[in-house]
Amino acid sequence: MRADAYRNHERILVATRQLLEEKGFLTQMDDVAERAGVGVGTLYRHFATKDALFGELVKQTFEGFQVGMQAALDQARAGRDPFEALSDALVRNSELAAADRGVQDALLAANSQMIAVAQPTIDELLELTSEVIELARAAGSIRADAHVGDIPMIMAGVSSTQNPLIASYHPEGWRRHLQIAIDGLRPLNR
Amino acid sequence: MRADAYRNHERILVATRQLLEEKGFLTQMDDVAERAGVGVGTLYRHFATKDALFGELVKQTFEGFQVGMQAALDQARAGRDPFEALSDALVRNSELAAADRGVQDALLAANSQMIAVAQPTIDELLELTSEVIELARAAGSIRADAHVGDIPMIMAGVSSTQNPLIASYHPEGWRRHLQIAIDGLRPLNR
Amino acid sequence: MRADAYRNHERILVATRQLLEEKGFLTQMDDVAERAGVGVGTLYRHFATKDALFGELVKQTFEGFQVGMQAALDQARAGRDPFEALSDALVRNSELAAADRGVQDALLAANSQMIAVAQPTIDELLELTSEVIELARAAGSIRADAHVGDIPMIMAGVSSTQNPLIASYHPEGWRRHLQIAIDGLRPLNR
Amino acid sequence: MRADAYRNHERILVATRQLLEEKGFLTQMDDVAERAGVGVGTLYRHFATKDALFGELVKQTFEGFQVGMQAALDQARAGRDPFEALSDALVRNSELAAADRGVQDALLAANSQMIAVAQPTIDELLELTSEVIELARAAGSIRADAHVGDIPMIMAGVSSTQNPLIASYHPEGWRRHLQIAIDGLRPLNR
DNA sequence: AATGAATGAGGTTTCATTCAT
DNA sequence: AATGAATGAAACCTCATTCAT
């Protein structure tokens, strides 16, 4: 039964991700249950509330970002130019976000309940990011006034840029936006 | 009677803007009617649907942006450095957006019905922007590969960055984000 | 439209009373709406919550009791023996309660939200009752230690006694119970 | 194994009683299972339905009343004044009821399914009561028209009087109510 | 025999929109 | 032209009961 419960848990998460992609924030609990092939009751056994469910997905997203940022930190420690490592991580994480439009849109409309679920993960991500920026600053390959808070801002910018409405003016244009932001992070006398 | 109708129209718009600021997307038609001091029926006489109402506000926002961009174009034509004029316009328009969080949030979660109302205005704004960028490119004060589509992306990024959730890491940080983006638009060998 | 709204208000109240009688506390809002011939939305426009609706009925019940107790007070002031007047009021009010089983049952299971609606009316009723008891005590026709709190207790007792489950042992037996309680209120050396 | 099952049975009953006291009729089967330290499945193995479980508690309550009434009968047969014995039994049983508010409240809102479980016990109790009243009537220490059905009515009255909502006007007031009812049962020329 | 995950009908309440007055 | 009462399709969530392990 443990195996069954685990399977259901996964199916629920997958179903939610799909529906968020298809129908956006209008996704309903009953739909999720149906798509996952479970009863609503089961859905609520796994996630006590709609916010808890959406929050879990947001958390998973940030866990994905964490992996990318951790890799950047590892590379920087191993001798690679920290700014290059950071740039790559931002591109990779933006690709994740682009492939995960549904959750990104949910995040845009997130309320504090949803965020609360992911907060610890977010904090860890910021901690990692902080270290990478520190290394880049020490190496002189980033603006002297770079600040960890710049990164969520850039990511939020890129994400909003991936929104279909904006993207229609420039498909895949988020890559440019990110490039512009990355270039803007370089030392001014580059 | 015409004056009365006009007054109601204005009051509805003002009420919606206020409520969007206060309660965000949870704003309801009944709330709007009450705040505007009219019946729901009257509200629906002025705006056939919720999307039409919110769309009108979005349109007004872009009309505000138009004013700023027109000024930039006028200045550039009068001899000012086009990139400087553009930068100023972006800052001014971002300030407008910051002062109008409610509508911005609605815009972020907008659906195509809402956008449709503002589409002509958006197109005009892009046309103006295009001309400014052309002048800047001719003057060599902007990246050679600058593209009109970069601007809505940057504005979307700044706006998402003004969202309270992101802003909490960096209040007024959107100014930095914008600065980074502007710096990223400069020619690489600046 | 005001007339229509009033009619609906009344129909809702009547429908609720009927259903409370038929199905007891299991009565549902949808049922009430259907029976009243209105949409659920209309039901909720008139009563913001289930408790508010049930509470209104409870309040009406106590208003009925008030009429009876006021009559007793008037009679006592006009020279009738206050204890006789009180007894009659208790009998009359118990008859009302018997004819209103549904609301009585709801009252038994009432929560504080429901009671809150009727509280002012209850307080007024107790005030009236207090005055009657005072007159009876002055006239020496009631136990010297009679207390206003005795009356709600007796009424609660009679009401629970009208419950079908208990009543099955003694239909109309509540009259006896009330008689016993009234006799118990007389001065001991009667 | 038999011992285990018995222990579970008891724990379930104790848990239900506690929860009925704490949360009243909002008590849920899951709550009961958790408090009892068993799974819901086990709970349902012991009691086929919620009504069966609550009914069992009601039955236990009446078994307690039986003990008191049996003692009264024994005393009356042994020569004590039957009315005095009856009064004492009523007081003792009311004290039991007061100490067991949860079950009493459930009883007040009971449906026929719940009652069915306790019916045989109730019948036995009434039989005992009948005999005591007969003795009292023979001794002339009770109203000539006393009837066994008077007793459940009085007990129902006292119980409803112990309800927190009513009791708030007169804490421990049920003792008075009972006293008034007992006095009302006395021969009129006492 | 025990467990607890799963079920899903059903409960209350909301809110964009319509329509009688 | 204005009003606001009415509508009813959902939305979220609960909980007694079943059933696979």
Side-chain angles (χ1 to χ4, degrees), chain C residues 123-145:
Chain C
D123 290 343
E124 284 171 40
L125 173 59
L126 287 178
E127 182 53 34
L128 285 176
T129 308
S130 223
E131 294 185 47
V132 177
I133 287 180
E134 211 44 59
L135 291 177
R137 192 149 40 204
S141 60
I142 201 171
R143 272 170 171 253
D145 65 351

mmCIF file with all atom_site columns, all heavy atoms in Angstrom, chain C residues 123-145:
data_model
loop_
_atom_site.group_PDB
_atom_site.id
_atom_site.type_symbol
_atom_site.label_atom_id
_atom_site.label_alt_id
_atom_site.label_comp_id
_atom_site.label_asym_id
_atom_site.label_entity_id
_atom_site.label_seq_id
_atom_site.pdbx_PDB_ins_code
_atom_site.Cartn_x
_atom_site.Cartn_y
_atom_site.Cartn_z
_atom_site.occupancy
_atom_site.B_iso_or_equiv
_atom_site.pdbx_formal_charge
_atom_site.auth_seq_id
_atom_site.auth_comp_id
_atom_site.auth_asym_id
_atom_site.auth_atom_id
_atom_site.pdbx_PDB_model_num
ATOM 1   N N   . ASP C 1 123 ? -32.774 38.019 25.608 1.00 0.00 ? 123 ASP C N   1
ATOM 2   C CA  . ASP C 1 123 ? -32.556 38.892 26.759 1.00 0.00 ? 123 ASP C CA  1
ATOM 3   C C   . ASP C 1 123 ? -33.828 39.663 27.115 1.00 0.00 ? 123 ASP C C   1
ATOM 4   O O   . ASP C 1 123 ? -34.177 39.800 28.296 1.00 0.00 ? 123 ASP C O   1
ATOM 5   C CB  . ASP C 1 123 ? -31.404 39.865 26.466 1.00 0.00 ? 123 ASP C CB  1
ATOM 6   C CG  . ASP C 1 123 ? -30.064 39.146 26.408 1.00 0.00 ? 123 ASP C CG  1
ATOM 7   O OD1 . ASP C 1 123 ? -29.985 37.997 26.899 1.00 0.00 ? 123 ASP C OD1 1
ATOM 8   O OD2 . ASP C 1 123 ? -29.101 39.713 25.857 1.00 0.00 ? 123 ASP C OD2 1
ATOM 9   N N   . GLU C 1 124 ? -34.505 40.157 26.086 1.00 0.00 ? 124 GLU C N   1
ATOM 10  C CA  . GLU C 1 124 ? -35.748 40.888 26.350 1.00 0.00 ? 124 GLU C CA  1
ATOM 11  C C   . GLU C 1 124 ? -36.788 39.986 26.998 1.00 0.00 ? 124 GLU C C   1
ATOM 12  O O   . GLU C 1 124 ? -37.492 40.386 27.929 1.00 0.00 ? 124 GLU C O   1
ATOM 13  C CB  . GLU C 1 124 ? -36.317 41.437 25.040 1.00 0.00 ? 124 GLU C CB  1
ATOM 14  C CG  . GLU C 1 124 ? -35.593 42.663 24.499 1.00 0.00 ? 124 GLU C CG  1
ATOM 15  C CD  . GLU C 1 124 ? -36.066 43.023 23.104 1.00 0.00 ? 124 GLU C CD  1
ATOM 16  O OE1 . GLU C 1 124 ? -37.292 42.923 22.860 1.00 0.00 ? 124 GLU C OE1 1
ATOM 17  O OE2 . GLU C 1 124 ? -35.209 43.385 22.265 1.00 0.00 ? 124 GLU C OE2 1
ATOM 18  N N   . LEU C 1 125 ? -36.863 38.757 26.493 1.00 0.00 ? 125 LEU C N   1
ATOM 19  C CA  . LEU C 1 125 ? -37.821 37.798 27.047 1.00 0.00 ? 125 LEU C CA  1
ATOM 20  C C   . LEU C 1 125 ? -37.540 37.559 28.538 1.00 0.00 ? 125 LEU C C   1
ATOM 21  O O   . LEU C 1 125 ? -38.452 37.526 29.371 1.00 0.00 ? 125 LEU C O   1
ATOM 22  C CB  . LEU C 1 125 ? -37.743 36.483 26.267 1.00 0.00 ? 125 LEU C CB  1
ATOM 23  C CG  . LEU C 1 125 ? -38.556 35.321 26.814 1.00 0.00 ? 125 LEU C CG  1
ATOM 24  C CD1 . LEU C 1 125 ? -40.036 35.661 26.874 1.00 0.00 ? 125 LEU C CD1 1
ATOM 25  C CD2 . LEU C 1 125 ? -38.335 34.064 25.977 1.00 0.00 ? 125 LEU C CD2 1
ATOM 26  N N   . LEU C 1 126 ? -36.254 37.425 28.856 1.00 0.00 ? 126 LEU C N   1
ATOM 27  C CA  . LEU C 1 126 ? -35.891 37.168 30.245 1.00 0.00 ? 126 LEU C CA  1
ATOM 28  C C   . LEU C 1 126 ? -36.233 38.362 31.124 1.00 0.00 ? 126 LEU C C   1
ATOM 29  O O   . LEU C 1 126 ? -36.641 38.206 32.280 1.00 0.00 ? 126 LEU C O   1
ATOM 30  C CB  . LEU C 1 126 ? -34.398 36.837 30.344 1.00 0.00 ? 126 LEU C CB  1
ATOM 31  C CG  . LEU C 1 126 ? -34.033 35.452 29.802 1.00 0.00 ? 126 LEU C CG  1
ATOM 32  C CD1 . LEU C 1 126 ? -32.525 35.231 29.888 1.00 0.00 ? 126 LEU C CD1 1
ATOM 33  C CD2 . LEU C 1 126 ? -34.770 34.361 30.578 1.00 0.00 ? 126 LEU C CD2 1
ATOM 34  N N   . GLU C 1 127 ? -36.079 39.547 30.554 1.00 0.00 ? 127 GLU C N   1
ATOM 35  C CA  . GLU C 1 127 ? -36.401 40.755 31.304 1.00 0.00 ? 127 GLU C CA  1
ATOM 36  C C   . GLU C 1 127 ? -37.895 40.764 31.661 1.00 0.00 ? 127 GLU C C   1
ATOM 37  O O   . GLU C 1 127 ? -38.270 40.999 32.820 1.00 0.00 ? 127 GLU C O   1
ATOM 38  C CB  . GLU C 1 127 ? -36.042 41.984 30.454 1.00 0.00 ? 127 GLU C CB  1
ATOM 39  C CG  . GLU C 1 127 ? -36.289 43.317 31.124 1.00 0.00 ? 127 GLU C CG  1
ATOM 40  C CD  . GLU C 1 127 ? -35.633 43.420 32.486 1.00 0.00 ? 127 GLU C CD  1
ATOM 41  O OE1 . GLU C 1 127 ? -34.532 42.838 32.658 1.00 0.00 ? 127 GLU C OE1 1
ATOM 42  O OE2 . GLU C 1 127 ? -36.230 44.049 33.385 1.00 0.00 ? 127 GLU C OE2 1
ATOM 43  N N   . LEU C 1 128 ? -38.714 40.477 30.666 1.00 0.00 ? 128 LEU C N   1
ATOM 44  C CA  . LEU C 1 128 ? -40.167 40.406 30.895 1.00 0.00 ? 128 LEU C CA  1
ATOM 45  C C   . LEU C 1 128 ? -40.484 39.362 31.967 1.00 0.00 ? 128 LEU C C   1
ATOM 46  O O   . LEU C 1 128 ? -41.255 39.616 32.911 1.00 0.00 ? 128 LEU C O   1
ATOM 47  C CB  . LEU C 1 128 ? -40.898 40.004 29.609 1.00 0.00 ? 128 LEU C CB  1
ATOM 48  C CG  . LEU C 1 128 ? -41.060 41.043 28.509 1.00 0.00 ? 128 LEU C CG  1
ATOM 49  C CD1 . LEU C 1 128 ? -41.706 40.419 27.288 1.00 0.00 ? 128 LEU C CD1 1
ATOM 50  C CD2 . LEU C 1 128 ? -41.913 42.204 29.033 1.00 0.00 ? 128 LEU C CD2 1
ATOM 51  N N   . THR C 1 129 ? -39.885 38.193 31.790 1.00 0.00 ? 129 THR C N   1
ATOM 52  C CA  . THR C 1 129 ? -40.127 37.084 32.706 1.00 0.00 ? 129 THR C CA  1
ATOM 53  C C   . THR C 1 129 ? -39.780 37.478 34.131 1.00 0.00 ? 129 THR C C   1
ATOM 54  O O   . THR C 1 129 ? -40.506 37.184 35.091 1.00 0.00 ? 129 THR C O   1
ATOM 55  C CB  . THR C 1 129 ? -39.285 35.876 32.286 1.00 0.00 ? 129 THR C CB  1
ATOM 56  O OG1 . THR C 1 129 ? -39.510 35.610 30.905 1.00 0.00 ? 129 THR C OG1 1
ATOM 57  C CG2 . THR C 1 129 ? -39.654 34.649 33.100 1.00 0.00 ? 129 THR C CG2 1
ATOM 58  N N   . SER C 1 130 ? -38.662 38.157 34.249 1.00 0.00 ? 130 SER C N   1
ATOM 59  C CA  . SER C 1 130 ? -38.191 38.628 35.539 1.00 0.00 ? 130 SER C CA  1
ATOM 60  C C   . SER C 1 130 ? -39.259 39.463 36.248 1.00 0.00 ? 130 SER C C   1
ATOM 61  O O   . SER C 1 130 ? -39.531 39.283 37.439 1.00 0.00 ? 130 SER C O   1
ATOM 62  C CB  . SER C 1 130 ? -36.950 39.488 35.297 1.00 0.00 ? 130 SER C CB  1
ATOM 63  O OG  . SER C 1 130 ? -35.963 39.208 36.229 1.00 0.00 ? 130 SER C OG  1
ATOM 64  N N   . GLU C 1 131 ? -39.876 40.355 35.480 1.00 0.00 ? 131 GLU C N   1
ATOM 65  C CA  . GLU C 1 131 ? -40.869 41.244 36.081 1.00 0.00 ? 131 GLU C CA  1
ATOM 66  C C   . GLU C 1 131 ? -42.094 40.474 36.549 1.00 0.00 ? 131 GLU C C   1
ATOM 67  O O   . GLU C 1 131 ? -42.645 40.743 37.627 1.00 0.00 ? 131 GLU C O   1
ATOM 68  C CB  . GLU C 1 131 ? -41.280 42.331 35.069 1.00 0.00 ? 131 GLU C CB  1
ATOM 69  C CG  . GLU C 1 131 ? -40.120 43.265 34.742 1.00 0.00 ? 131 GLU C CG  1
ATOM 70  C CD  . GLU C 1 131 ? -40.560 44.415 33.834 1.00 0.00 ? 131 GLU C CD  1
ATOM 71  O OE1 . GLU C 1 131 ? -41.609 45.031 34.133 1.00 0.00 ? 131 GLU C OE1 1
ATOM 72  O OE2 . GLU C 1 131 ? -39.864 44.690 32.829 1.00 0.00 ? 131 GLU C OE2 1
ATOM 73  N N   . VAL C 1 132 ? -42.486 39.497 35.736 1.00 0.00 ? 132 VAL C N   1
ATOM 74  C CA  . VAL C 1 132 ? -43.645 38.692 36.130 1.00 0.00 ? 132 VAL C CA  1
ATOM 75  C C   . VAL C 1 132 ? -43.350 37.942 37.430 1.00 0.00 ? 132 VAL C C   1
ATOM 76  O O   . VAL C 1 132 ? -44.162 37.908 38.360 1.00 0.00 ? 132 VAL C O   1
ATOM 77  C CB  . VAL C 1 132 ? -44.043 37.698 35.018 1.00 0.00 ? 132 VAL C CB  1
ATOM 78  C CG1 . VAL C 1 132 ? -45.203 36.828 35.471 1.00 0.00 ? 132 VAL C CG1 1
ATOM 79  C CG2 . VAL C 1 132 ? -44.405 38.444 33.740 1.00 0.00 ? 132 VAL C CG2 1
ATOM 80  N N   . ILE C 1 133 ? -42.182 37.345 37.495 1.00 0.00 ? 133 ILE C N   1
ATOM 81  C CA  . ILE C 1 133 ? -41.812 36.582 38.689 1.00 0.00 ? 133 ILE C CA  1
ATOM 82  C C   . ILE C 1 133 ? -41.776 37.504 39.906 1.00 0.00 ? 133 ILE C C   1
ATOM 83  O O   . ILE C 1 133 ? -42.229 37.142 41.006 1.00 0.00 ? 133 ILE C O   1
ATOM 84  C CB  . ILE C 1 133 ? -40.458 35.878 38.482 1.00 0.00 ? 133 ILE C CB  1
ATOM 85  C CG1 . ILE C 1 133 ? -40.656 34.713 37.509 1.00 0.00 ? 133 ILE C CG1 1
ATOM 86  C CG2 . ILE C 1 133 ? -39.882 35.392 39.800 1.00 0.00 ? 133 ILE C CG2 1
ATOM 87  C CD1 . ILE C 1 133 ? -39.401 33.935 37.224 1.00 0.00 ? 133 ILE C CD1 1
ATOM 88  N N   . GLU C 1 134 ? -41.271 38.706 39.698 1.00 0.00 ? 134 GLU C N   1
ATOM 89  C CA  . GLU C 1 134 ? -41.197 39.665 40.810 1.00 0.00 ? 134 GLU C CA  1
ATOM 90  C C   . GLU C 1 134 ? -42.599 39.939 41.368 1.00 0.00 ? 134 GLU C C   1
ATOM 91  O O   . GLU C 1 134 ? -42.817 39.917 42.586 1.00 0.00 ? 134 GLU C O   1
ATOM 92  C CB  . GLU C 1 134 ? -40.563 40.965 40.306 1.00 0.00 ? 134 GLU C CB  1
ATOM 93  C CG  . GLU C 1 134 ? -39.776 41.690 41.371 1.00 0.00 ? 134 GLU C CG  1
ATOM 94  C CD  . GLU C 1 134 ? -38.914 40.726 42.166 1.00 0.00 ? 134 GLU C CD  1
ATOM 95  O OE1 . GLU C 1 134 ? -38.059 40.052 41.553 1.00 0.00 ? 134 GLU C OE1 1
ATOM 96  O OE2 . GLU C 1 134 ? -39.133 40.600 43.392 1.00 0.00 ? 134 GLU C OE2 1
ATOM 97  N N   . LEU C 1 135 ? -43.533 40.162 40.445 1.00 0.00 ? 135 LEU C N   1
ATOM 98  C CA  . LEU C 1 135 ? -44.915 40.424 40.866 1.00 0.00 ? 135 LEU C CA  1
ATOM 99  C C   . LEU C 1 135 ? -45.485 39.220 41.609 1.00 0.00 ? 135 LEU C C   1
ATOM 100 O O   . LEU C 1 135 ? -46.174 39.364 42.636 1.00 0.00 ? 135 LEU C O   1
ATOM 101 C CB  . LEU C 1 135 ? -45.790 40.758 39.652 1.00 0.00 ? 135 LEU C CB  1
ATOM 102 C CG  . LEU C 1 135 ? -45.499 42.101 38.973 1.00 0.00 ? 135 LEU C CG  1
ATOM 103 C CD1 . LEU C 1 135 ? -46.382 42.296 37.744 1.00 0.00 ? 135 LEU C CD1 1
ATOM 104 C CD2 . LEU C 1 135 ? -45.702 43.262 39.962 1.00 0.00 ? 135 LEU C CD2 1
ATOM 105 N N   . ALA C 1 136 ? -45.186 38.021 41.076 1.00 0.00 ? 136 ALA C N   1
ATOM 106 C CA  . ALA C 1 136 ? -45.713 36.802 41.710 1.00 0.00 ? 136 ALA C CA  1
ATOM 107 C C   . ALA C 1 136 ? -45.137 36.638 43.110 1.00 0.00 ? 136 ALA C C   1
ATOM 108 O O   . ALA C 1 136 ? -45.823 36.253 44.057 1.00 0.00 ? 136 ALA C O   1
ATOM 109 C CB  . ALA C 1 136 ? -45.395 35.592 40.851 1.00 0.00 ? 136 ALA C CB  1
ATOM 110 N N   . ARG C 1 137 ? -43.880 36.950 43.239 1.00 0.00 ? 137 ARG C N   1
ATOM 111 C CA  . ARG C 1 137 ? -43.241 36.819 44.547 1.00 0.00 ? 137 ARG C CA  1
ATOM 112 C C   . ARG C 1 137 ? -43.876 37.809 45.528 1.00 0.00 ? 137 ARG C C   1
ATOM 113 O O   . ARG C 1 137 ? -44.196 37.455 46.671 1.00 0.00 ? 137 ARG C O   1
ATOM 114 C CB  . ARG C 1 137 ? -41.741 37.069 44.427 1.00 0.00 ? 137 ARG C CB  1
ATOM 115 C CG  . ARG C 1 137 ? -40.996 36.673 45.675 1.00 0.00 ? 137 ARG C CG  1
ATOM 116 C CD  . ARG C 1 137 ? -39.595 36.197 45.386 1.00 0.00 ? 137 ARG C CD  1
ATOM 117 N NE  . ARG C 1 137 ? -38.979 37.023 44.348 1.00 0.00 ? 137 ARG C NE  1
ATOM 118 C CZ  . ARG C 1 137 ? -37.988 36.615 43.579 1.00 0.00 ? 137 ARG C CZ  1
ATOM 119 N NH1 . ARG C 1 137 ? -37.491 35.394 43.731 1.00 0.00 ? 137 ARG C NH1 1
ATOM 120 N NH2 . ARG C 1 137 ? -37.488 37.406 42.671 1.00 0.00 ? 137 ARG C NH2 1
ATOM 121 N N   . ALA C 1 138 ? -44.076 39.026 45.030 1.00 0.00 ? 138 ALA C N   1
ATOM 122 C CA  . ALA C 1 138 ? -44.712 40.033 45.894 1.00 0.00 ? 138 ALA C CA  1
ATOM 123 C C   . ALA C 1 138 ? -46.101 39.572 46.329 1.00 0.00 ? 138 ALA C C   1
ATOM 124 O O   . ALA C 1 138 ? -46.524 39.800 47.468 1.00 0.00 ? 138 ALA C O   1
ATOM 125 C CB  . ALA C 1 138 ? -44.806 41.368 45.150 1.00 0.00 ? 138 ALA C CB  1
ATOM 126 N N   . ALA C 1 139 ? -46.790 38.883 45.416 1.00 0.00 ? 139 ALA C N   1
ATOM 127 C CA  . ALA C 1 139 ? -48.140 38.410 45.732 1.00 0.00 ? 139 ALA C CA  1
ATOM 128 C C   . ALA C 1 139 ? -48.118 37.128 46.554 1.00 0.00 ? 139 ALA C C   1
ATOM 129 O O   . ALA C 1 139 ? -49.154 36.654 47.020 1.00 0.00 ? 139 ALA C O   1
ATOM 130 C CB  . ALA C 1 139 ? -48.917 38.194 44.441 1.00 0.00 ? 139 ALA C CB  1
ATOM 131 N N   . GLY C 1 140 ? -46.926 36.538 46.710 1.00 0.00 ? 140 GLY C N   1
ATOM 132 C CA  . GLY C 1 140 ? -46.825 35.312 47.496 1.00 0.00 ? 140 GLY C CA  1
ATOM 133 C C   . GLY C 1 140 ? -47.390 34.087 46.810 1.00 0.00 ? 140 GLY C C   1
ATOM 134 O O   . GLY C 1 140 ? -47.606 33.051 47.441 1.00 0.00 ? 140 GLY C O   1
ATOM 135 N N   . SER C 1 141 ? -47.603 34.168 45.506 1.00 0.00 ? 141 SER C N   1
ATOM 136 C CA  . SER C 1 141 ? -48.200 33.009 44.836 1.00 0.00 ? 141 SER C CA  1
ATOM 137 C C   . SER C 1 141 ? -47.169 32.135 44.128 1.00 0.00 ? 141 SER C C   1
ATOM 138 O O   . SER C 1 141 ? -47.524 31.257 43.352 1.00 0.00 ? 141 SER C O   1
ATOM 139 C CB  . SER C 1 141 ? -49.280 33.477 43.856 1.00 0.00 ? 141 SER C CB  1
ATOM 140 O OG  . SER C 1 141 ? -48.724 34.327 42.885 1.00 0.00 ? 141 SER C OG  1
ATOM 141 N N   . ILE C 1 142 ? -45.885 32.395 44.360 1.00 0.00 ? 142 ILE C N   1
ATOM 142 C CA  . ILE C 1 142 ? -44.821 31.555 43.785 1.00 0.00 ? 142 ILE C CA  1
ATOM 143 C C   . ILE C 1 142 ? -43.837 31.228 44.902 1.00 0.00 ? 142 ILE C C   1
ATOM 144 O O   . ILE C 1 142 ? -43.797 31.933 45.930 1.00 0.00 ? 142 ILE C O   1
ATOM 145 C CB  . ILE C 1 142 ? -44.112 32.289 42.621 1.00 0.00 ? 142 ILE C CB  1
ATOM 146 C CG1 . ILE C 1 142 ? -43.394 31.313 41.690 1.00 0.00 ? 142 ILE C CG1 1
ATOM 147 C CG2 . ILE C 1 142 ? -43.165 33.370 43.140 1.00 0.00 ? 142 ILE C CG2 1
ATOM 148 C CD1 . ILE C 1 142 ? -42.869 31.951 40.415 1.00 0.00 ? 142 ILE C CD1 1
ATOM 149 N N   . ARG C 1 143 ? -43.087 30.142 44.748 1.00 0.00 ? 143 ARG C N   1
ATOM 150 C CA  . ARG C 1 143 ? -42.020 29.826 45.699 1.00 0.00 ? 143 ARG C CA  1
ATOM 151 C C   . ARG C 1 143 ? -41.234 31.090 46.049 1.00 0.00 ? 143 ARG C C   1
ATOM 152 O O   . ARG C 1 143 ? -40.879 31.859 45.141 1.00 0.00 ? 143 ARG C O   1
ATOM 153 C CB  . ARG C 1 143 ? -40.971 28.921 45.043 1.00 0.00 ? 143 ARG C CB  1
ATOM 154 C CG  . ARG C 1 143 ? -41.179 27.446 45.111 1.00 0.00 ? 143 ARG C CG  1
ATOM 155 C CD  . ARG C 1 143 ? -40.143 26.814 44.166 1.00 0.00 ? 143 ARG C CD  1
ATOM 156 N NE  . ARG C 1 143 ? -40.097 25.371 44.297 1.00 0.00 ? 143 ARG C NE  1
ATOM 157 C CZ  . ARG C 1 143 ? -39.109 24.705 44.880 1.00 0.00 ? 143 ARG C CZ  1
ATOM 158 N NH1 . ARG C 1 143 ? -38.058 25.330 45.386 1.00 0.00 ? 143 ARG C NH1 1
ATOM 159 N NH2 . ARG C 1 143 ? -39.160 23.393 44.956 1.00 0.00 ? 143 ARG C NH2 1
ATOM 160 N N   . ALA C 1 144 ? -40.858 31.229 47.250 1.00 0.00 ? 144 ALA C N   1
ATOM 161 C CA  . ALA C 1 144 ? -40.101 32.417 47.655 1.00 0.00 ? 144 ALA C CA  1
ATOM 162 C C   . ALA C 1 144 ? -38.744 32.447 46.960 1.00 0.00 ? 144 ALA C C   1
ATOM 163 O O   . ALA C 1 144 ? -38.188 33.511 46.699 1.00 0.00 ? 144 ALA C O   1
ATOM 164 C CB  . ALA C 1 144 ? -39.927 32.433 49.170 1.00 0.00 ? 144 ALA C CB  1
ATOM 165 N N   . ASP C 1 145 ? -38.220 31.266 46.648 1.00 0.00 ? 145 ASP C N   1
ATOM 166 C CA  . ASP C 1 145 ? -36.883 31.224 46.041 1.00 0.00 ? 145 ASP C CA  1
ATOM 167 C C   . ASP C 1 145 ? -36.930 31.131 44.514 1.00 0.00 ? 145 ASP C C   1
ATOM 168 O O   . ASP C 1 145 ? -35.930 30.776 43.888 1.00 0.00 ? 145 ASP C O   1
ATOM 169 C CB  . ASP C 1 145 ? -36.077 30.059 46.615 1.00 0.00 ? 145 ASP C CB  1
ATOM 170 C CG  . ASP C 1 145 ? -36.693 28.711 46.242 1.00 0.00 ? 145 ASP C CG  1
ATOM 171 O OD1 . ASP C 1 145 ? -37.828 28.693 45.696 1.00 0.00 ? 145 ASP C OD1 1
ATOM 172 O OD2 . ASP C 1 145 ? -36.044 27.689 46.497 1.00 0.00 ? 145 ASP C OD2 1
#
